[in-house]
Amino acid sequence: MNDDCVIYYSKIVKELFKAQKETEVLRIFNTKNFNSYINHHDNWNGGIDYYTIEIGVSPIVYSELKKNNQIELLEECIASAYNDVTKGDKSVIIDNILIVPKIDIEDEEIIEEGEDVTFWNFGYYRMFISHLTADKTSAANLKTALSVYGISCFVAHEDIEPTKEWANEIEKALLTMNCLCAIITPKFNGSLWCDQEVGFALGHKVLVIPIRKGTDPYGLMGKYQGIQSKNKTANQLAKEIFEILCKNSHSKKTYTKILGNLFLNSKSSSEANKWIDVINSIDIIDKDVTEFINIHYLDNNNLNDKKIIEKANKLFTKYTLTPISNKLFIKEEIVTDDLPF
């Protein structure tokens, strides 16, 4: 699946299924086994792309679903979820879901993908921090600093519950991360776990951001220059990581859309003010991300604040979009009836 917008919406659909506890759908909803393509393009209203998504399952699972007459029901359920999450995006319509058998899919992988992961902050960008035990304090401080930028970090010593099987939790974090940050020290490559974590990320073509703490990246990771940590605070490193995510071709679209979504779903004006400041600090954002924010702005009354609107309009003006006015917000009407008490 190559289209960034389909990947973005698929992640929201998956979170929706988790919230609804749709375990049967989650069993097959593994984005690594997706194939998407445009089946039709309409030039009306700026252009509309109609997508088909093929969801691959193993022949065993496919035969089981077909025997129980579940394929069409699951396809309809998934199509309905995509319809919910793409409301307001007039440029994308995901109108065809197909569940198909594929020979190279293992059942165990599908089941793992459906498991719940509670260690990520909902709606945030997901970063796995690979580190030695000796650097757990540095990793924890970096995690705190990155949360300001809408980045949720998995730090093994901090995020694994004592009752959980720790190796399984690490595997689930690796399977569901958006990128990996490795704190590289002279003894890093002596850890089989750290080496495997980085190798997993590289093998799955996940963005790797090395932090050079006394040594340089090595092996296949050596192609990444990394960030020098000497004489820097966690806050300074977090800012550099933020800038990388905003510019790197593997992360910028997904990450900036996540920030846009955090802003649009703000539960208070102070929260909205925080996210719009982060968004405005980005030098260049894909225009369709700013269009998405512009289209959905009026859906949340927590964004109806003069200072927030001024900051948002600074963004919209930069990308030649229609400014927002607080007069456009729909005011809730209070209905009173003269009824006896």
Side-chain angles (χ1 to χ4, degrees):
M1 184 168 58
N2 297 319
D3 196 287
D4 284 339
C5 71
V6 178
I7 294 174
Y8 169 72
Y9 285 127
S10 296
K11 289 179 179 179
I12 301 177
V13 166
K14 184 173 180 180
E15 295 299 330
L16 185 61
F17 286 145
K18 285 182 181 179
Q20 296 171 344
K21 301 190 183 301
E22 294 280 1
T23 55
E24 192 61 36
V25 180
L26 285 170
R27 183 171 176 239
I28 67 166
F29 201 81
N30 186 336
T31 54
K32 290 184 292 184
N33 301 325
F34 280 19
N35 178 43
S36 71
Y37 53 88
I38 297 173
N39 60 56
H40 176 64
H41 177 78
D42 191 330
N43 288 323
W44 183 79
N45 196 25
I48 304 173
D49 291 327
Y50 293 80
Y51 284 87
T52 292
I53 294 180
E54 292 181 355
I55 302 174
V57 298
S58 72
I60 294 174
V61 170
Y62 186 84
S63 299
E64 176 190 325
L65 294 175
K66 188 172 183 179
K67 180 181 178 181
N68 296 327
N69 297 316
Q70 290 181 290
I71 291 177
E72 288 188 8
L73 291 174
L74 289 172
E75 289 173 344
E76 290 174 5
C77 177
I78 295 168
S80 176
Y82 274 107
N83 182 57
D84 287 338
V85 302
T86 57
K87 284 180 180 177
D89 189 344
K90 300 186 184 305
S91 65
V92 174
I93 295 178
I94 299 170
D95 65 341
N96 195 22
I97 304 294
L98 300 174
I99 298 173
V100 298
K102 290 188 177 180
I103 197 66
D104 56 346
I105 296 174
E106 298 178 6
D107 298 339
E108 292 79 11
E109 184 180 22
I110 295 170
I111 294 170
E112 282 294 321
E113 185 73 9
E115 290 185 8
D116 188 26
V117 282
T118 57
F119 38 73
W120 299 118
N121 290 341
F122 181 78
Y124 279 45
Y125 190 80
R126 299 173 171 187
M127 177 178 290
F128 187 108
I129 300 182
S130 182
H131 66 288
L132 295 174
T133 304
D135 295 303
K136 63 181 181 181
T137 301
S138 295
N141 290 341
L142 184 60
K143 173 183 176 177
T144 300
L146 285 167
S147 66
V148 174
Y149 298 100
I151 301 167
S152 175
C153 297
F154 178 87
V155 177
H157 296 281
E158 184 174 296
D159 292 320
I160 297 175
E161 299 174 24
T163 57
K164 300 286 187 179
E165 189 68 34
W166 63 275
N168 290 339
E169 293 295 283
I170 288 174
E171 186 178 8
K172 283 195 286 184
L174 290 168
L175 284 167
T176 54
M177 67 182 172
N178 294 118
C179 78
L180 181 141
C181 175
I183 302 176
I184 309 296
T185 60
K187 294 183 179 180
F188 187 88
N189 66 349
S191 167
L192 293 177
W193 280 105
C194 290
D195 251 6
Q196 287 182 27
E197 290 162 1
V198 172
F200 184 97
L202 292 171
H204 286 74
K205 301 188 185 306
V206 172
L207 173 65
V208 175
I209 303 175
I211 293 180
R212 292 148 53 205
K213 192 177 181 182
T215 192
D216 295 327
Y218 56 89
L220 293 174
M221 188 171 44
K223 64 182 179 181
Y224 299 100
Q225 183 178 0
I227 300 171
Q228 177 58 255
S229 68
K230 189 176 181 180
N231 298 325
K232 292 178 182 176
T233 65
N235 289 331
Q236 289 172 321
L237 291 172
K239 188 173 187 298
E240 289 190 47
I241 290 172
F242 164 70
E243 291 170 351
I244 288 173
L245 294 178
C246 292
K247 295 175 183 177
N248 190 279
S249 59
H250 293 288
S251 58
K252 64 179 181 179
K253 188 74 167 285
T254 299
Y255 177 53
T256 53
K257 276 196 171 184
I258 284 173
L259 287 175
N261 221 33
L262 287 170
F263 172 64
L264 292 172
N265 290 288
S266 296
K267 296 179 177 61
S268 66
S269 57
S270 60
E271 187 178 325
N273 194 61
K274 175 182 72 173
W275 294 130
I276 193 61
D277 282 343
V278 174
I279 291 169
N280 274 335
S281 70
I282 302 172
D283 291 334
I284 300 174
I285 305 176
D286 287 353
K287 189 172 181 180
D288 61 339
V289 175
T290 56
E291 286 176 343
F292 182 82
I293 297 172
N294 185 266
I295 290 169
H296 292 281
Y297 193 99
L298 299 175
D299 296 343
N300 186 352
N301 281 320
N302 290 321
L303 309 183
N304 187 10
D305 176 271
K306 184 178 179 181
K307 289 184 178 179
I308 296 171
I309 291 174
E310 285 177 358
K311 291 179 180 181
N313 282 337
K314 180 181 177 182
L315 175 73
F316 300 146
T317 301
K318 180 178 178 181
Y319 293 93
T320 63
L321 296 171
T322 305
I324 296 295
S325 167
N326 61 355
K327 295 179 181 179
L328 297 174
F329 279 88
I330 299 175
K331 295 182 179 179
E332 296 182 4
E333 294 184 4
I334 300 175
V335 179
T336 57
D337 294 321
D338 292 327
L339 296 174
F341 180 69

